[in-house]
Amino acid sequence: MSLRVTNKELKERALSHLTGNWGKAAIATLIMYLIAYIPSVGIDYAIAQGFGSLWYFVLLPLYYGYYVLFLNLSRTDELRTEMLFDGYKEFFPVFLTMLLKAIYIFLWSLLLIVPGIMKAYSYDMTEFIMRDNPDIRYDAAIEKSMEMMRGHRMQLFLLDLSMIGWGILCLLTLGIGYLFLAPYMRTSHAEFYQQLLIEEEGNTF
């Protein structure tokens, strides 16, 4: 079952929100990557590997903030870079929910790559749900995402697949292009979530 709008329409909406905000979006993405790569700067490789594993957990609320940043953009056409750190305002609930999500995806991936990918798409709305529902956390947020994504995983997968050409171009720019592709993808996912909400509300009548 697909959404009532096409992936092309979702991407067009994302691009319209990013118009005039590309610079801020790229800066926010750059900030996130620079923080993520702190462990690899000026540290012995072996130490960096161990510290990097711990640093990943510290970054979980930052990844949440990246979702929140582009959800807000899709609703207001305003990109506020400081929202990147919103996850740290309620560190433990966000951290534990994101950790559970990562653990579940990892465990499903142990079976085979495909089940891991399927679950990753099932859980993809978790951060948006947490933002909109402060009382929904942990397994409840993940289960709500699974419920919303039931029947829609393939469309979201195809949405991402349609951007693979841009991903290849990003490699040719030594990854610099990803500073623009990542916001495009995340805003498209935010639009996907917005449409899920609209259709979910429509089905209640």
Side-chain angles (χ1 to χ4, degrees):
M1 180 175 61
S2 297
L3 298 178
R4 297 185 189 117
V5 298
T6 65
N7 284 342
K8 180 181 178 182
E9 291 173 297
L10 292 172
K11 291 193 292 183
E12 288 173 350
R13 291 179 188 177
L15 288 172
S16 71
H17 293 307
L18 283 162
T19 300
N21 288 298
W22 282 108
K24 289 182 179 180
I27 290 171
T29 305
L30 179 61
I31 290 171
M32 185 178 70
Y33 286 140
L34 287 176
I35 294 174
Y37 285 114
I38 282 177
S40 63
V41 178
I43 304 177
D44 176 79
Y45 179 76
I47 297 175
Q49 287 294 97
F51 182 60
S53 299
L54 294 175
W55 191 242
Y56 167 77
F57 296 111
V58 176
L59 291 175
L60 289 177
L62 186 70
Y63 298 143
Y64 164 83
Y66 197 68
Y67 276 73
V68 166
L69 188 72
F70 291 103
L71 177 62
N72 183 70
L73 175 66
S74 74
R75 290 174 170 173
T76 67
D77 284 327
E78 180 184 10
L79 200 149
R80 295 167 49 204
T81 308
E82 67 271 16
M83 294 184 74
L84 190 60
F85 303 97
D86 275 9
Y88 294 98
K89 295 176 182 178
E90 43 177 344
F91 180 83
F92 286 107
V94 170
F95 168 76
L96 291 174
T97 306
M98 296 286 288
L99 181 60
L100 280 173
K101 176 183 172 181
I103 290 173
Y104 292 155
I105 293 173
F106 171 73
L107 292 176
W108 278 101
S109 298
L110 290 178
L111 297 177
L112 280 173
I113 294 176
V114 172
I117 293 174
M118 291 174 63
K119 285 300 177 181
Y121 279 98
S122 291
Y123 303 157
D124 195 69
M125 301 296 118
T126 301
E127 290 82 356
F128 298 140
I129 291 167
M130 283 196 291
R131 181 63 176 184
D132 281 347
N133 305 273
D135 56 327
I136 300 180
R137 294 289 186 269
Y138 316 118
D139 278 332
I142 295 170
E143 289 170 3
K144 175 64 176 175
S145 178
M146 292 175 63
E147 179 185 331
M148 291 186 74
M149 286 300 294
R150 190 170 294 119
H152 300 295
R153 290 181 304 190
M154 181 55 71
Q155 184 174 355
L156 186 58
F157 172 74
L158 292 175
L159 174 64
D160 287 346
L161 191 64
S162 69
M163 299 182 186
I164 194 169
W166 292 111
I168 294 171
L169 287 176
C170 287
L171 293 176
L172 297 177
T173 62
L174 302 178
I176 295 174
Y178 199 71
L179 296 178
F180 301 93
L181 178 59
Y184 183 24
M185 293 183 69
R186 191 49 53 207
T187 308
S188 296
H189 281 224
E191 282 299 313
F192 196 95
Y193 170 70
Q194 297 272 76
Q195 190 62 33
L196 284 174
L197 289 179
I198 292 170
E199 298 192 9
E200 187 178 67
E201 183 178 344
N203 289 335
T204 62
F205 295 100

